[in-house]
């Protein structure tokens, strides 16, 4: 039979620094939150949404308290996409950048 992959649970938490303020002139500072997605690492697999952090008001160096527990298969590459957005009360949230790790 197939060898059992060893799976462990890992905890992810995120912070960002030196974000660009995208709030716009005279609108104060951005209110960032992050969205974590595990990217598919084999064909035909779908990206899996891990979750969303809380919004931190008026910050360009947010250190979110939210932690996310994900299953990690040893020896399997796992890429997590972190998208940071500025929460906009009226209208579209504004992207503040993203990173993959």
């Amino acid at each position: 039979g197939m060898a059992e992959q060893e799976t462990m649970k890992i905890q992810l938490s995120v912070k960002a620094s030196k974000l660009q303020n995208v709030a716009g002139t005279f609108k104060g500072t951005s209110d960032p939150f992050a969205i974590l997605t595990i990217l598919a690492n084999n064909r035909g697999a779908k990206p899996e949404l891990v979750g969303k952090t809380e919004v931190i008001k008026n910050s360009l160096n947010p250190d979110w308290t939210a932690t996310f527990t994900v299953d990690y298969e040893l020896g399997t590459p796992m890429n997590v996409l972190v998208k940071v957005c500025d929460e906009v009360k009226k209208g579209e949230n504004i992207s503040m950048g993203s990173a993959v790790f």
Side-chain angles (χ1 to χ4, degrees), residues 6-50:
E6 201 176 335
T7 304
M8 54 190 278
K9 292 206 177 295
I10 56 173
Q11 283 209 319
L12 304 176
S13 62
V14 280
K15 63 180 184 182
S17 57
K18 301 193 181 103
L19 290 171
Q20 209 176 346
N21 189 11
V22 295
T25 321
F26 308 125
K27 288 198 181 151
T29 306
S30 297
D31 304 326
F33 66 95
I35 304 162
L36 279 69
T37 307
I38 295 176
L39 298 177
N41 56 13
N42 47 29
R43 287 193 189 149
K46 289 191 165 62
E48 181 193 334
L49 183 66
V50 178

Side-chain angles (χ1 to χ4, degrees), residues 51-73:
K52 212 160 120 168
T53 66
E54 74 278 11
V55 173
I56 296 185
K57 293 277 174 201
N58 301 323
S59 175
L60 298 179
N61 299 285
D63 188 350
W64 293 282
T65 57
T67 56
F68 306 96
T69 304
V70 296
D71 288 329
Y72 173 67
E73 277 183 22

